[in-house]
Amino acid sequence: QLQLQESGPGLVKPSETLSLSCGVSGGSITSSSYYWGWIRQPPGKGLEWIGRISYSGTAYYNPSLKSRVTISVDASKNQFSLHLSSVTAADTAFYYCARRRQYHLQWGYWGRGTLVTVSS
Amino acid sequence: QSVLTQPPSVSGAPGQRVTISCTGGSSNIGAGYDVHWYQQLPGTAPKLLIYDNTNRPSGVPDRFSGSKSGTSASLAITGLQAEDEAAYYCQSYDSSLSGSMFGGGTKLTVL
Protein backbone atom coordinates (compact mmCIF):
# COMPACT_ATOMS: atom_id res chain seq x y z
CA GLN A 1 0.00 0.00 0.00
CA LEU A 2 1.42 3.37 -1.02
CA GLN A 3 2.18 5.75 1.82
CA LEU A 4 3.30 9.36 1.66
CA GLN A 5 4.86 11.17 4.62
CA GLU A 6 5.65 14.87 4.80
CA SER A 7 8.58 16.05 6.89
CA GLY A 8 10.24 19.37 7.64
CA PRO A 9 10.27 22.32 10.03
CA GLY A 10 6.97 23.35 11.52
CA LEU A 11 8.09 26.95 12.00
CA VAL A 12 9.71 29.21 9.43
CA LYS A 13 10.66 32.86 9.81
CA PRO A 14 9.27 35.50 7.43
CA SER A 15 11.39 36.05 4.29
CA GLU A 16 13.08 32.66 4.70
CA THR A 17 12.60 29.51 2.62
CA LEU A 18 10.11 26.80 3.54
CA SER A 19 11.49 23.35 2.75
CA LEU A 20 9.52 20.12 3.00
CA SER A 21 10.12 16.56 1.86
CA CYS A 22 7.66 13.82 1.03
CA GLY A 23 8.89 10.28 1.62
CA VAL A 24 7.32 7.61 -0.56
CA SER A 25 6.94 4.02 0.64
CA GLY A 26 5.17 1.12 -0.99
CA GLY A 27 6.00 2.39 -4.46
CA SER A 28 8.76 3.89 -6.57
CA ILE A 29 8.98 7.58 -7.27
CA THR A 30 10.71 6.80 -10.57
CA SER A 31 7.63 5.18 -12.08
CA SER A 32 6.66 6.94 -15.30
CA SER A 33 3.01 6.30 -14.56
CA TYR A 34 2.66 8.89 -11.81
CA TYR A 35 2.95 12.56 -10.99
CA TRP A 36 3.83 13.83 -7.53
CA GLY A 37 2.37 17.02 -6.16
CA TRP A 38 2.04 19.49 -3.33
CA ILE A 39 -1.24 20.99 -2.15
CA ARG A 40 -1.70 23.35 0.76
CA GLN A 41 -4.54 24.46 3.01
CA PRO A 42 -4.45 27.50 5.30
CA PRO A 43 -6.09 26.64 8.62
CA GLY A 44 -9.86 26.78 8.26
CA LYS A 45 -9.67 27.49 4.52
CA GLY A 46 -9.75 25.65 1.22
CA LEU A 47 -7.23 23.69 -0.83
CA GLU A 48 -4.67 25.27 -3.16
CA TRP A 49 -2.62 23.35 -5.71
CA ILE A 50 1.05 24.34 -5.49
CA GLY A 51 2.57 22.24 -8.25
CA ARG A 52 3.53 18.80 -9.48
CA ILE A 53 6.52 16.96 -10.87
CA SER A 54 7.08 13.87 -12.96
CA TYR A 55 9.75 11.24 -12.37
CA SER A 56 11.81 12.86 -15.11
CA GLY A 57 11.87 16.13 -13.21
CA THR A 58 9.48 18.13 -15.37
CA ALA A 59 7.53 20.42 -13.04
CA TYR A 60 4.48 22.64 -13.34
CA TYR A 61 3.62 25.30 -10.78
CA ASN A 62 0.62 27.38 -9.82
CA PRO A 63 1.21 30.74 -11.58
CA SER A 64 0.43 32.57 -8.35
CA LEU A 65 3.40 30.88 -6.65
CA LYS A 66 5.65 30.14 -9.62
CA SER A 67 8.27 32.79 -8.87
CA ARG A 68 8.86 31.36 -5.39
CA VAL A 69 8.37 27.59 -5.79
CA THR A 70 10.67 24.73 -6.70
CA ILE A 71 9.67 21.06 -6.60
CA SER A 72 12.35 18.42 -7.10
CA VAL A 73 12.74 14.65 -7.04
CA ASP A 74 15.43 12.68 -5.19
CA ALA A 75 15.24 9.18 -6.62
CA SER A 76 18.02 7.88 -4.36
CA LYS A 77 15.87 8.62 -1.31
CA ASN A 78 12.55 7.85 -3.02
CA GLN A 79 11.24 11.25 -2.08
CA PHE A 80 10.35 14.61 -3.56
CA SER A 81 10.68 18.06 -2.07
CA LEU A 82 9.07 21.48 -1.96
CA HIS A 83 10.94 24.74 -1.57
CA LEU A 84 8.99 27.99 -1.18
CA SER A 85 11.07 31.12 -0.85
CA SER A 86 10.39 34.54 0.69
CA VAL A 87 7.58 33.26 2.86
CA THR A 88 5.09 35.47 4.66
CA ALA A 89 2.32 34.80 7.16
CA ALA A 90 0.04 34.09 4.20
CA ASP A 91 2.05 30.93 3.56
CA THR A 92 1.03 29.48 6.92
CA ALA A 93 -0.84 26.30 6.03
CA PHE A 94 -1.12 22.56 6.18
CA TYR A 95 1.04 21.22 3.38
CA TYR A 96 0.06 17.92 1.77
CA CYS A 97 2.00 15.79 -0.68
CA ALA A 98 -0.01 13.65 -3.05
CA ARG A 99 0.16 11.35 -6.05
CA ARG A 100 -1.88 11.07 -9.21
CA ARG A 101 -1.68 8.93 -12.30
CA GLN A 102 -0.15 10.45 -15.42
CA TYR A 103 -3.33 10.53 -17.48
CA HIS A 104 -5.81 10.80 -14.63
CA LEU A 105 -6.14 14.16 -12.98
CA GLN A 106 -7.46 13.16 -9.57
CA TRP A 107 -5.17 12.96 -6.55
CA GLY A 108 -5.64 9.40 -5.33
CA TYR A 109 -3.12 9.25 -2.51
CA TRP A 110 -2.37 11.92 0.06
CA GLY A 111 0.04 12.27 2.92
CA ARG A 112 -1.31 13.17 6.36
CA GLY A 113 -0.12 16.74 5.96
CA THR A 114 2.14 18.92 8.03
CA LEU A 115 1.43 22.34 9.49
CA VAL A 116 3.97 25.02 8.67
CA THR A 117 3.67 28.29 10.53
CA VAL A 118 5.42 31.41 9.31
CA SER A 119 6.28 33.60 12.25
CA SER A 120 9.22 35.41 13.76
CA GLN B 1 -8.29 33.66 -12.30
CA SER B 2 -10.85 30.94 -12.96
CA VAL B 3 -12.49 29.43 -9.95
CA LEU B 4 -14.69 26.49 -9.04
CA THR B 5 -17.60 27.77 -6.98
CA GLN B 6 -19.22 25.70 -4.25
CA PRO B 7 -21.80 26.67 -1.62
CA PRO B 8 -20.03 27.31 1.71
CA SER B 9 -22.39 25.04 3.61
CA VAL B 10 -25.22 22.55 3.28
CA SER B 11 -27.14 20.60 5.89
CA GLY B 12 -29.56 17.73 6.18
CA ALA B 13 -31.12 15.39 8.67
CA PRO B 14 -30.03 11.77 8.99
CA GLY B 15 -31.48 9.68 6.20
CA GLN B 16 -32.06 12.65 3.90
CA ARG B 17 -30.45 13.45 0.56
CA VAL B 18 -28.23 16.46 -0.04
CA THR B 19 -26.45 17.77 -3.10
CA ILE B 20 -23.38 19.95 -3.42
CA SER B 21 -22.81 21.93 -6.59
CA CYS B 22 -19.56 22.92 -8.24
CA THR B 23 -19.68 25.57 -10.95
CA GLY B 24 -16.72 26.21 -13.20
CA GLY B 25 -15.95 27.93 -16.46
CA SER B 26 -14.66 27.55 -19.96
CA SER B 27 -11.09 26.74 -18.93
CA ASN B 28 -11.97 23.86 -16.64
CA ILE B 29 -15.28 21.98 -16.38
CA GLY B 30 -16.71 23.69 -19.45
CA ALA B 31 -13.66 22.68 -21.46
CA GLY B 32 -14.56 19.05 -20.86
CA TYR B 33 -12.19 18.25 -18.04
CA ASP B 34 -13.38 15.72 -15.51
CA VAL B 35 -14.50 16.63 -12.01
CA HIS B 36 -13.34 14.86 -8.88
CA TRP B 37 -14.63 15.10 -5.33
CA TYR B 38 -12.84 14.78 -2.00
CA GLN B 39 -14.12 14.32 1.53
CA GLN B 40 -12.13 15.88 4.36
CA LEU B 41 -13.10 14.73 7.83
CA PRO B 42 -12.08 17.08 10.66
CA GLY B 43 -8.36 17.00 11.33
CA THR B 44 -7.53 14.66 8.46
CA ALA B 45 -6.22 14.84 4.91
CA PRO B 46 -8.64 14.95 1.99
CA LYS B 47 -9.73 11.58 0.65
CA LEU B 48 -10.77 10.89 -2.93
CA LEU B 49 -14.53 10.27 -2.99
CA ILE B 50 -15.55 10.48 -6.67
CA TYR B 51 -13.27 10.54 -9.72
CA ASP B 52 -13.92 11.22 -13.39
CA ASN B 53 -17.32 12.76 -12.61
CA THR B 54 -19.16 9.62 -11.60
CA ASN B 55 -16.79 6.88 -10.43
CA ARG B 56 -16.29 5.74 -6.84
CA PRO B 57 -12.95 4.36 -5.63
CA SER B 58 -13.07 0.99 -3.95
CA GLY B 59 -14.54 1.25 -0.46
CA VAL B 60 -16.65 4.37 -1.03
CA PRO B 61 -20.32 3.63 -0.30
CA ASP B 62 -22.79 3.90 -3.16
CA ARG B 63 -24.65 6.53 -1.13
CA PHE B 64 -22.19 8.93 -2.77
CA SER B 65 -22.67 9.77 -6.44
CA GLY B 66 -21.47 12.38 -8.87
CA SER B 67 -22.69 13.98 -12.04
CA LYS B 68 -21.53 16.58 -14.52
CA SER B 69 -23.31 18.75 -17.05
CA GLY B 70 -21.96 21.69 -19.01
CA THR B 71 -19.88 23.89 -16.76
CA SER B 72 -21.14 22.36 -13.51
CA ALA B 73 -20.94 19.20 -11.49
CA SER B 74 -22.76 17.87 -8.45
CA LEU B 75 -22.13 15.52 -5.59
CA ALA B 76 -25.16 13.76 -4.12
CA ILE B 77 -25.25 12.01 -0.78
CA THR B 78 -28.26 9.88 0.06
CA GLY B 79 -29.18 8.27 3.37
CA LEU B 80 -27.20 10.89 5.30
CA GLN B 81 -25.28 9.59 8.28
CA ALA B 82 -23.60 11.43 11.13
CA GLU B 83 -20.22 10.22 9.87
CA ASP B 84 -20.75 12.13 6.61
CA GLU B 85 -20.26 15.42 8.45
CA ALA B 86 -17.17 16.80 6.73
CA ALA B 87 -15.91 19.30 4.18
CA TYR B 88 -16.30 18.37 0.52
CA TYR B 89 -14.16 19.75 -2.29
CA CYS B 90 -14.51 19.52 -6.04
CA GLN B 91 -11.44 19.56 -8.28
CA SER B 92 -10.81 19.80 -12.00
CA TYR B 93 -7.98 20.57 -14.36
CA ASP B 94 -7.72 24.19 -15.45
CA SER B 95 -5.99 25.05 -18.71
CA SER B 96 -5.14 28.59 -17.64
CA LEU B 97 -3.46 27.17 -14.54
CA SER B 98 -1.97 24.20 -16.37
CA GLY B 99 -2.80 22.31 -13.22
CA SER B 100 -5.35 21.33 -10.62
CA MET B 101 -8.02 23.72 -9.45
CA PHE B 102 -10.07 23.14 -6.31
CA GLY B 103 -13.42 24.49 -5.29
CA GLY B 104 -13.66 26.55 -2.13
CA GLY B 105 -15.16 23.64 -0.22
CA THR B 106 -18.59 22.91 1.27
CA LYS B 107 -19.14 22.11 4.94
CA LEU B 108 -21.81 19.46 5.38
CA THR B 109 -23.65 19.48 8.69
CA VAL B 110 -25.78 16.50 9.66
CA LEU B 111 -28.55 17.89 11.85
Side-chain angles (χ1 to χ4, degrees):
Chain A
Q1 178 75 349
L2 183 79
Q3 289 190 330
L4 306 176
Q5 179 67 58
E6 304 87 353
S7 61
L11 181 65
V12 180
K13 289 183 169 55
S15 80
E16 295 189 345
T17 296
L18 178 161
S19 296
L20 296 174
S21 294
C22 180
V24 179
S25 58
S28 172
I29 201 166
T30 60
S31 171
S32 60
S33 300
Y34 302 108
Y35 289 153
W36 308 90
W38 289 95
I39 295 154
R40 71 179 182 178
Q41 182 177 35
K45 296 188 178 181
L47 300 166
E48 179 181 33
W49 174 73
I50 298 172
R52 60 89 168 163
I53 192 167
S54 66
Y55 81 102
S56 64
T58 301
Y60 287 85
Y61 304 120
N62 188 319
S64 69
L65 299 169
K66 188 175 183 178
S67 63
R68 299 194 291 130
V69 174
T70 302
I71 297 175
S72 59
V73 168
D74 186 339
S76 67
K77 296 182 178 179
N78 212 39
Q79 67 180 32
F80 61 107
S81 298
L82 168 71
H83 299 281
L84 180 66
S85 64
S86 304
V87 297
T88 69
D91 296 309
T92 294
F94 289 92
Y95 285 78
Y96 297 98
C97 59
R99 189 194 81 172
R100 70 168 176 89
R101 293 183 179 275
Q102 184 177 10
Y103 298 114
H104 299 265
L105 304 181
Q106 70 275 16
W107 297 95
Y109 285 92
W110 296 64
R112 290 188 174 187
T114 187
L115 176 62
V116 179
T117 301
V118 178
S119 175
S120 56
Chain B
Q1 182 177 353
S2 300
V3 296
L4 300 180
T5 302
Q6 299 181 234
S9 63
V10 297
S11 62
Q16 286 190 333
R17 177 181 186 270
V18 296
T19 62
I20 298 172
S21 61
C22 175
T23 302
S26 58
S27 61
N28 40 70
I29 301 175
Y33 294 109
D34 292 324
V35 178
H36 321 289
W37 292 90
Y38 302 85
Q39 177 192 58
Q40 186 176 32
L41 297 170
T44 69
K47 167 194 160 187
L48 182 64
L49 193 66
I50 297 287
Y51 67 95
D52 294 350
N53 308 314
T54 61
N55 299 301
R56 287 184 307 276
S58 174
V60 173
D62 59 6
R63 301 186 295 104
F64 296 91
S65 64
S67 64
K68 174 192 165 185
S69 178
T71 59
S72 296
S74 290
L75 172 70
I77 310 171
T78 58
L80 262 183
Q81 300 180 3
E83 66 201 49
D84 299 333
E85 191 159 287
Y88 294 84
Y89 294 90
C90 62
Q91 177 239 321
S92 185
Y93 180 86
D94 189 277
S95 58
S96 64
L97 212 55
S98 293
S100 299
M101 174 164 284
F102 290 92
T106 299
K107 174 70 170 71
L108 168 63
T109 300
V110 180
L111 302 170

